[in-house]
Amino acid sequence: MSLRSLIARLPYPSSAAQQAIGIAAVVTQAGIGVTGSVVRVTGSGLGCNTWPKCIGSSLVPVHHPGIDTINQWIEFSNRMLTGVVIVVAALAVLAAWRIQIDHPHRRRLVKLAWLMPGGVVLQAVLGGITVLAKLEWWTVALHFLASTPLVWLAVLLLKAFREGDEPARPLVPALGRRTLVVLIVLMWAVLIAGTTVTGAGPHGGDLNTHRLAVPVDRLAQVHSGLLIAYLVVLAVFGLTLLRGRAPKSVWQRYAWVWAVALAQGVLGTVQYALGVPEAMVSFHVLGSALVIIVTATLWTGTRDRGPVLSKLPAAPEERELTPAS
């Protein structure tokens, strides 16, 4: 029996199940970055000092001189959360594949779903490199940055469950689409600059890890300057929406981007003024994930791919005529 035949025996995912899987993908991809920041600010980055095992030859935390038990369990718990991300990614693939069996035109949905487990594997490898490199700041930065496109793709996957597969029809003028591309580039520039601030800051995940030898003040200025540029371009995008008479749904997404981006900017300013307290670092990482989510939601909301035509399974006679894919 082929794998396709086995997938075809699974229950057809309902609209509610599809939405739940899509939301779970967004939450887990964003959440693993937040829990990673908890590992970093608690100095637990080398709580498990080997990879893929934890301590020496043990897969789980064991007594080890010089490493506190609590730090071991914080790092080990973060690793175990990767299992939850893998389960959700696998469910996304199974659901998308099951839908495509009855509706072969849903290839885009399947491709997006497969990017989830692929991204998890990449993240696991980068996590191992980070531990083996003793938390060098640039490996930590890469480990975090690798998660950001996965959050973006998870939003696209959620949207794909809810929309059709027609060629994308723009809902904003051409100038607005180009401005939105600039906005997205600036968003990732802000994220990259943020990792350099972290690399030079006080929370490296371990007391002995090397830090980026650049003044934090200077890096923070670059980071905040890019955020201001992001907000300026966001304002320009709003003007293009006014000229193009964008639908209400686009305006709603646009308002959410403003709310989250401004809140993130205020949080970052307060965090810096207070000397970067540990708890606020994790909230700032959560804010970064939310900025990605609302920006991706705005991106998907500026185009229309038609209604979903695969909410229900195909009739048995139609499925028999469906070619294997």
Side-chain angles (χ1 to χ4, degrees), residues 41-116:
V41 299
T42 57
S44 304
L46 293 179
C48 289
N49 58 7
T50 61
W51 187 87
K53 297 180 179 180
C54 181
I55 300 290
S57 60
S58 176
L59 286 171
V60 299
V62 294
H63 176 72
H64 189 279
I67 302 179
D68 291 339
T69 301
I70 184 64
N71 295 129
Q72 291 187 38
W73 280 103
I74 290 173
E75 164 62 5
F76 183 73
S77 298
N78 184 61
R79 292 188 183 188
M80 291 301 97
L81 282 175
T82 303
V84 178
V85 182
I86 292 173
V87 169
V88 172
L91 289 174
V93 171
L94 291 175
W97 197 348
R98 178 64 186 84
I99 292 169
Q100 192 198 26
I101 288 175
D102 280 28
H103 304 281
H105 62 282
R106 306 238 56 192
R107 296 186 183 89
R108 176 172 169 269
L109 176 63
V110 174
K111 290 177 181 177
L112 284 170
W114 270 111
L115 289 172
M116 294 296 101

Side-chain angles (χ1 to χ4, degrees), residues 2-24:
S2 66
L3 181 57
R4 182 179 184 277
S5 299
L6 291 173
I7 301 298
R9 291 174 178 268
L10 295 174
Y12 191 86
S14 64
S15 296
Q18 294 176 37
Q19 179 165 317
I21 291 172
I23 292 174

Side-chain angles (χ1 to χ4, degrees), residues 137 193-202 210-223 272:
W137 75 268
T195 63
T196 65
V197 177
T198 298
H210 295 152
R211 313 306 294 139
L212 175 60
V214 178
V216 175
D217 292 351
R218 187 181 306 167
L219 295 171
Q221 289 171 358
V222 173
H223 182 48
Y272 182 75

Side-chain angles (χ1 to χ4, degrees), residues 264-316:
Q264 177 72 337
V266 171
L267 179 60
T269 301
V270 173
Q271 172 187 267
Y272 182 75
L274 295 178
V276 198
E278 289 85 351
M280 294 192 72
V281 171
S282 293
F283 279 115
H284 198 52
V285 172
L286 173 61
S288 299
L290 292 177
V291 169
I292 297 171
I293 291 170
V294 295
T295 306
T297 301
L298 178 61
W299 170 264
T300 61
T302 58
R303 58 207 63 223
D304 179 27
R305 292 182 178 272
V308 181
L309 302 178
S310 57
K311 291 184 178 180
L312 300 175

Side-chain angles (χ1 to χ4, degrees), residues 178-234:
R178 291 193 292 269
T179 305
L180 190 53
V181 171
V182 175
L183 183 75
I184 293 166
V185 171
L186 279 171
M187 179 194 73
W188 258 292
V190 173
L191 293 170
I192 293 170
T195 63
T196 65
V197 177
T198 298
H203 305 298
D206 185 80
L207 292 176
N208 299 317
T209 188
H210 295 152
R211 313 306 294 139
L212 175 60
V214 178
V216 175
D217 292 351
R218 187 181 306 167
L219 295 171
Q221 289 171 358
V222 173
H223 182 48
S224 60
L226 287 169
L227 176 60
I228 292 172
Y230 172 91
L231 295 176
V232 170
V233 173
L234 183 61

Side-chain angles (χ1 to χ4, degrees), residues 114-169:
W114 270 111
L115 289 172
M116 294 296 101
V120 174
V121 172
L122 173 63
Q123 273 291 68
V125 172
L126 288 174
I129 293 173
T130 301
V131 172
L132 297 176
K134 305 302 179 185
L135 307 184
E136 288 289 339
W137 75 268
W138 56 271
T139 62
V140 176
L142 288 176
H143 191 35
F144 169 75
L145 290 173
S147 69
T148 58
L150 294 177
V151 178
W152 180 279
L153 291 169
V155 174
L156 267 60
L157 174 65
L158 173 60
K159 179 68 172 179
F161 276 123
R162 297 171 171 174
E163 65 183 357
D165 292 272
E166 298 175 5
R169 179 176 65 85

